[in-house]
Amino acid sequence: MEWKLFADLAEVTGTRTVRVDVDGDATVGDALDALVGAHPALESRVFGDDGELYDHINVLRNGEAAALGEEAAAGDELALFPPVSGG
């Protein structure tokens, strides 16, 4: 499956898209773990010291808000958004 990364998360990885391989019964959280495993510098940007996803990080699956416990299928498009501000 493929992750789309935005803003500083894309800068950290050096790319806007990252493919990850996970088991067939994987969750969105498993896919996020695979992403962070491939790009360890993301860990401090998306997880707090307690290992929990920061409240301000948005995870989407196929364009919809996703919980980490949701099932993820091979063709899913996942996206990770940090907080964005502007004016």
Side-chain angles (χ1 to χ4, degrees):
M1 70 193 53
E2 183 174 87
W3 279 98
K4 291 194 177 211
L5 306 175
F6 295 88
D8 67 321
L9 301 178
E11 292 174 18
V12 167
T13 63
T15 185
R16 295 178 80 57
T17 59
V18 177
R19 289 202 59 73
V20 297
D21 293 319
V22 293
D23 293 333
D25 61 347
T27 64
V28 172
D30 294 332
L32 182 56
D33 289 343
L35 173 65
V36 171
H39 296 278
L42 286 174
E43 185 169 12
S44 64
R45 304 262 188 186
V46 299
F47 293 114
D49 291 337
D50 60 0
E52 295 294 319
L53 184 70
Y54 283 124
D55 289 338
H56 61 266
I57 298 292
N58 295 301
V59 179
L60 283 80
R61 181 177 149 259
N62 301 324
E64 302 283 330
L68 297 182
E70 283 183 34
E71 289 184 30
D76 284 348
E77 179 182 277
L78 303 170
L80 203 57
F81 286 88
V84 178
S85 63

